[in-house]
Amino acid sequence: MTTPPKARRDNNDARPGPVVLDEISKQIIEELQADGRKPYAAIGKAVGLSEAAVRQRVQRLLDAGVMQIVAVTDPLTLGFPRQAMIGIKCEGDLETVADKLSSIDEIDYVVLTAGSLDIMVEVVCEGDNHLLEILGKIRAIPTVRATETFVYLKLRKQTYSWGTR
């Protein structure tokens, strides 16, 4: 499976600091992480608020960008049997390369990294030929110097429930 859209965001340094959540907001988020379709009335019972109060809090959390409520699909069941993480070494402005990579439809995750690789991307492909096509698009970006592909053989664990701490 792939990283859900809630992990896709521009971590711009100009962004405000972390949002401080009270315990009830944290509980609401945890309820929605367990079941994103859970009715507000049921969440209200679990956290001790009215349905309307839960609805307002959820909307504030969505508006603040704290969370998104999305459907996460299983690429294997949708005809995308090849998944890979691609490490990229490049020169120059990493933000520009990341923007170009983000515009490639098959790339669903782009992160700037520290270490021997500058950028990591995740791709979901229809097969090996499709993966080669995507690698060609990546390598065509002028400042990309090298790529290293890590093909997924088997997914053992994937969760989106890291909570609110």
Side-chain angles (χ1 to χ4, degrees), residues 124-142:
V124 177
C125 310
E126 295 169 2
D128 290 338
N129 287 335
H130 192 204
L131 176 58
L132 284 170
E133 179 184 320
I134 296 164
L135 284 167
K137 291 179 185 179
I138 293 170
R139 292 174 180 153
I141 298 171

Side-chain angles (χ1 to χ4, degrees), residues 19-33 43 47 49 53-54 56-61 66-67 163-165:
V19 175
V20 178
L21 300 175
D22 64 13
E23 288 306 312
I24 292 177
S25 290
K26 290 178 181 181
Q27 290 173 4
I28 290 170
I29 291 169
E30 289 168 3
E31 291 288 323
L32 288 168
Q33 283 180 318
I43 295 171
V47 302
L49 292 178
V54 170
Q56 289 174 343
R57 280 183 180 247
V58 168
Q59 192 58 54
R60 281 197 303 263
L61 293 166
V66 171
M67 66 176 192
T164 55
R165 295 190 181 98

Side-chain angles (χ1 to χ4, degrees), residues 90-156:
C90 47
E91 293 177 350
D93 181 28
L94 297 181
E95 298 282 348
T96 300
V97 176
D99 290 343
K100 290 178 181 178
L101 292 166
S102 295
S103 72
I104 299 173
D105 288 338
E106 295 90 348
I107 294 176
D108 62 27
Y109 182 76
V110 178
V111 62
L112 281 69
T113 62
S116 63
L117 300 168
D118 298 308
I119 299 175
M120 296 286 291
V121 300
E122 184 181 54
V123 297
V124 177
C125 310
E126 295 169 2
D128 290 338
N129 287 335
H130 192 204
L131 176 58
L132 284 170
E133 179 184 320
I134 296 164
L135 284 167
K137 291 179 185 179
I138 293 170
R139 292 174 180 153
I141 298 171
T143 57
V144 168
R145 295 295 165 241
T147 62
E148 186 172 355
T149 304
F150 304 90
V151 173
Y152 297 3
L153 298 176
K154 187 174 187 179
L155 181 65
R156 292 297 296 201

